[in-house]
Amino acid sequence: MPIMDGVAVVRELFKIFAEIEAQPDADFVRPKICCMSAHTAQNIKQSAFDSGMDDYLTKPTRKTDMAVILERYYRKDD
């Protein structure tokens, strides 16, 4: 990303989420955040999770990998 990397973006988002959640009667559900990166090093992946990301995909990403993530977090309960 040209200005901020993904970790910096997540940190900024969490500040915004905290402000929203602090409002009286806030009906806010934090969206899930999945990192997509070409980096496969464990320390990079761990940094993503430490920043608050919920999941991590490496590039190139297959459709099936994305489908697993979407089902994990957005599966409709029947």
Side-chain angles (χ1 to χ4, degrees):
M1 296 177 64
I3 298 172
M4 287 190 269
D5 64 11
V7 171
V9 169
V10 170
R11 287 184 181 138
E12 289 301 313
L13 283 172
F14 274 43
K15 289 178 189 176
I16 294 168
F17 297 158
E19 290 174 9
I20 294 169
E21 290 172 338
Q23 295 176 3
D25 300 323
D27 187 21
F28 176 75
V29 176
R30 181 182 72 77
K32 299 298 181 184
I33 301 171
C34 180
C35 176
M36 184 181 293
S37 176
H39 296 287
T40 58
Q42 186 60 35
N43 65 324
I44 301 289
K45 186 175 181 178
Q46 189 59 51
S47 177
F49 285 116
D50 290 346
S51 73
M53 292 187 198
D54 298 294
D55 229 311
Y56 193 94
L57 287 171
T58 55
K59 297 177 189 177
T61 302
R62 298 178 307 228
K63 289 180 188 177
T64 55
D65 296 334
M66 184 63 76
V68 167
I69 298 296
L70 292 172
E71 276 192 37
R72 182 177 299 147
Y73 297 109
Y74 297 104
R75 179 182 52 203
K76 286 188 175 186
D77 293 328
D78 294 322

